[in-house]
Amino acid sequence: MSNIQKHRTTVDIFGQAYVIMGTESPSHIRLVASLVDDKMREISFKNPTLDVNKLAVLTAVNAVNDYIKIKDQLERLQAELQKEKD
């Protein structure tokens, strides 16, 4: 058995309550949920006719796109740092 403590945190995303279980702190889980909620509201404002399922998919696509850009940037910076060390 693992000694990792899991937290149960209730969050609101786009007017819907979700119970999130995870090892991250409740404040971290609330932050993530808040960012997802903000992005969904931003996309919904620009595309008011989207149904919730399409809105959720577009939000996920936006989040993964941002993740890939940041990951690529990190890898470039790490490569530059390694060059300077060599």
Side-chain angles (χ1 to χ4, degrees):
M1 296 284 282
S2 174
N3 288 340
I4 298 174
Q5 183 179 9
K6 289 191 176 182
H7 303 279
R8 179 184 299 258
T9 307
T10 302
V11 297
D12 184 82
I13 300 173
F14 207 68
Q16 184 75 31
Y18 295 91
V19 176
I20 310 274
M21 294 262 318
T23 56
E24 300 291 348
S25 69
S27 62
H28 178 82
I29 293 169
R30 282 191 294 275
L31 173 62
V32 170
S34 175
L35 293 171
V36 170
D37 183 68
D38 290 347
K39 182 57 80 172
M40 287 184 78
R41 291 183 187 285
E42 175 188 324
I43 294 171
S44 178
F45 181 76
K46 294 176 182 176
N47 304 280
T49 60
L50 284 177
D51 64 55
V52 175
N53 290 331
K54 288 182 181 176
L55 178 59
V57 169
L58 284 176
T59 301
V61 168
N62 272 266
V64 171
N65 181 54
D66 291 346
Y67 167 78
I68 290 170
K69 286 180 182 179
I70 291 169
K71 184 178 174 225
D72 289 346
Q73 183 180 17
L74 175 62
E75 289 171 358
R76 281 192 305 274
L77 291 171
Q78 287 173 329
E80 287 178 29
L81 185 59
Q82 187 61 44
K83 282 181 187 177
E84 289 182 19
K85 286 182 177 181
D86 293 341

